[in-house]
Amino acid sequence: MEENKSQNNLIVIEIPTPKIVSKKIEIHFSSSENLPQFKQNSFWFEYPTVDAKYLTKEVGWHIALNVIVAKLGELKNHSIIKCEEEIPESLLRFLQIYNNAFHVDIQPIKKENNHDLFFKKRNDLAHRELSKKPGLLFGGGKDSLASLGLLLETGTNVGLISYSFSYIGQVIQNEKRREENSAIKYAKEKGINVDIIRTNIVHLLAKSPLHFELYTSSVLPVLNARDYGNLLFCVEMCHYYTSTNGQVNKIPRFRRSRPEINRLISSHYKSNLGVNCNVLNLHLPISEYGTYLLLTKRYSELLPNLLMCEGSTDSKIKWCGNCTKCAEHVIFSLASNTKSEINPDDFFKNSPWILNKILPKLK
């Protein structure tokens, strides 16, 4: 783990202490260079369903540094982040290892004797255990819906954690659409706890989006408030392919949500933050089609709550008919001999997704 600092221009980021306003954490920063990844130098996370006491400065720093180091890690420039308060050395080390960002430094650092203890303990067997009270990252699509079915079947005391990204005026359209069309409504009727986390960060990133660090860095208030023993997510094995990407060495896709990295995050939670919560992927051994079969053959009562499409923010439009998610719904429904909520004949004949994206490639 040697530092690989380039000779490019030094980037200096200055971050004042994150502000906590009611149930919102506001983060501002300044930069010596124009950062191509950010449209503006501020972002926020809001927690309407948890007590404000779980929003602390430490949580604010954890979110701020996870987001900013993740984006600086994509650049080759040597970067220095200057914080208004001392940052534990263990957090710096985690961020460098997790993001492969050894060219990013943080000042000032609070020196610790065992700042790498979390890294040494990352492979403890305890980090692979499923607790009786997990929190499930829930988007409403086939993956999280099938996981909800699995957990309910086993009698697990699961809670849902739903992120809301789309803000239009004063109406949270995406949140309303999910509330009315996904299994969130079903979960609330069954007495399942549902927490909402709102943020504007996704719309402020000009280039590549955040990956799993978006959730693992910002979910801490919910984990503490609900005392969840697991943070569960759902990504099938097929997404962890490797690619040469024009280079000699193969590059693992989805590196920051692979099982070994999950254990690293779990160890970081426990050693550095005092949060005894393991991060696990329930769908690692399952294919995308296998997930759909679970829904159609085993949890058919949940199928009417399926919300895969993300091509609309209108709560009255469940399927836009013009995106990959809609196409998957049609194809998987045909493959599993299940009635699709989208007319397959009409989709293949008239969908702009077929006409403008698929047919030109076939020709």
Side-chain angles (χ1 to χ4, degrees):
M1 296 182 294
E2 296 182 356
E3 292 185 342
N4 183 25
K5 299 179 181 177
S6 75
Q7 300 302 312
N8 293 335
N9 292 337
L10 173 69
I11 296 176
V12 179
I13 303 287
E14 295 187 3
I15 311 176
T17 301
K19 295 181 180 178
I20 300 172
V21 181
S22 185
K23 293 190 175 185
K24 182 184 287 187
I25 296 176
E26 298 179 351
I27 294 155
H28 303 266
F29 65 94
S30 62
S31 175
S32 63
E33 301 283 337
N34 181 36
L35 296 179
Q37 302 99 321
F38 290 93
K39 295 178 182 177
Q40 66 183 54
N41 293 356
S42 64
F43 53 91
W44 52 259
F45 285 80
E46 186 178 15
Y47 302 83
T49 55
V50 301
D51 194 301
K53 70 180 182 180
Y54 295 104
L55 277 63
T56 64
K57 288 193 301 181
E58 289 73 22
V59 170
W61 280 115
H62 192 261
I63 295 173
L65 293 171
N66 266 274
V67 170
I68 293 172
V69 172
K71 305 315 290 179
L72 290 177
E74 299 170 356
L75 303 175
K76 295 181 180 180
N77 304 59
H78 175 210
S79 304
I80 297 176
I81 300 176
K82 295 184 177 180
C83 303
E84 190 173 5
E85 299 182 34
E86 276 192 331
I87 303 302
E89 189 174 7
S90 55
L91 178 55
L92 166 64
R93 294 295 292 156
F94 167 74
L95 293 171
Q96 288 178 329
I97 295 168
Y98 176 79
N99 294 290
N100 194 26
F102 299 99
H103 55 292
V104 178
D105 293 322
I106 298 176
Q107 301 173 355
I109 286 295
K110 181 181 180 181
K111 293 292 184 179
E112 299 170 311
N113 293 329
N114 296 313
H115 61 266
D116 272 340
L117 189 61
F118 74 97
F119 185 72
K120 296 173 184 177
K121 291 188 173 183
R122 68 193 185 283
N123 288 323
D124 285 359
L125 291 177
H127 294 320
R128 310 180 193 197
E129 295 176 351
L130 180 64
S131 76
K132 294 182 180 180
K133 188 181 179 183
L136 173 65
L137 291 171
F138 189 82
K142 61 180 173 53
D143 307 320
S144 56
L145 191 59
S147 282
L148 177 61
L150 282 165
L151 292 165
L152 292 178
E153 181 183 0
T154 57
T156 305
N157 183 21
V158 63
L160 304 185
I161 305 169
S162 178
Y163 276 75
S164 179
F165 300 125
S166 297
Y167 275 68
I168 302 177
Q170 298 299 315
V171 181
I172 307 169
Q173 298 283 13
N174 191 49
E175 193 173 316
K176 181 180 178 183
R177 181 170 179 262
R178 194 175 293 175
E179 179 82 26
E180 294 183 3
N181 294 286
S182 78
I184 286 181
K185 183 178 180 181
Y186 169 89
K188 289 182 176 179
E189 290 173 351
K190 295 290 185 181
I192 298 172
N193 188 77
V194 179
D195 283 298
I196 306 294
I197 300 176
R198 300 169 183 158
T199 179
N200 67 341
I201 185 63
V202 172
H203 301 293
L204 299 183
L205 299 177
K207 291 198 172 185
S208 59
L210 290 166
H211 189 48
F212 200 48
E213 61 273 6
L214 168 65
Y215 309 105
T216 55
S217 64
S218 61
V219 76
L220 292 172
V222 174
L223 297 183
N224 286 321
R226 308 302 175 204
D227 195 28
Y228 288 137
N230 281 112
L231 178 64
L232 304 178
F233 68 103
C234 322
V235 177
E236 294 91 346
M237 173 65 82
C238 59
H239 291 289
Y240 295 98
Y241 61 90
T242 56
S243 170
T244 56
N245 220 13
Q247 302 178 22
V248 176
N249 297 325
K250 287 187 175 182
I251 303 168
R253 300 293 94 183
F254 280 60
R255 186 189 80 86
R256 281 177 280 187
S257 64
R258 291 176 63 86
E260 61 273 22
I261 305 299
N262 296 339
R263 295 195 292 273
L264 179 72
I265 299 169
S266 302
S267 185
H268 162 64
Y269 273 173
K270 188 170 184 178
S271 299
N272 299 338
L273 304 174
V275 178
N276 195 14
C277 180
N278 294 328
V279 179
L280 294 176
N281 179 8
L282 282 185
H283 283 228
L284 187 62
I286 307 175
S287 69
E288 285 198 273
Y289 180 47
T291 296
Y292 211 86
L293 287 177
L294 274 175
L295 282 174
T296 57
K297 306 302 182 185
R298 197 174 187 98
Y299 308 120
S300 57
E301 74 280 2
L302 293 176
L303 204 55
N305 302 293
L306 179 65
L307 183 63
M308 293 173 62
C309 172
E310 298 174 347
S312 174
T313 57
D314 189 338
S315 61
K316 296 179 180 179
I317 300 176
K318 188 174 182 181
W319 303 98
C320 73
N322 184 29
C323 70
T324 301
K325 298 293 186 179
C326 287
E328 288 181 348
H329 173 59
V330 172
I331 294 169
F332 287 147
S333 295
L334 290 171
S336 59
N337 196 28
T338 306
K339 182 176 176 58
S340 170
E341 293 184 346
I342 303 173
N343 184 289
D345 292 332
D346 182 65
F347 181 81
F348 286 116
K349 287 179 182 178
N350 302 315
S351 170
W353 189 86
I354 294 290
L355 298 177
N356 301 329
K357 187 173 183 178
I358 303 302
L359 289 183
K361 290 185 178 180
L362 291 177
K363 290 178 181 179

